[in-house]
Amino acid sequence: YGAYGSKAMRPESTYADLLKMTMNTGNVVENKSLYWHPTVYSKSKTGVYTRDKIWFSSAYYIWTPGDATAFPDGMKLIAGRGGDPNARANA
């Protein structure tokens, strides 16, 4: 996969490390999110797979720098529908 977002993103990174991060690969200073996408390969006529370069990626939301507010530390989000394990959202 390809990953981007916080410049502090490492396998050993902690929540505290990410909060202290001041640089990211995006264009919104407050965005401390991490993103990933599957790696895309092309198959040649001879059957050889080559990793494609992803030259563009965009988050599905934008905001004006300085206007974002983070969720409070320790926030837990509970989602579902009355405990129904088959509940799904439609977008």
Side-chain angles (χ1 to χ4, degrees), residues 10-31:
R10 304 278 313 139
E12 64 275 5
S13 294
T14 65
Y15 176 70
D17 293 333
L18 297 176
L19 285 179
K20 288 187 285 187
M21 182 274 307
T22 58
M23 299 289 295
N24 67 51
T25 59
N27 61 351
V28 179
V29 174
E30 298 90 349
N31 189 353

Side-chain angles (χ1 to χ4, degrees), residues 60 88-91:
Y60 57 89
R88 299 287 182 265
N90 293 322

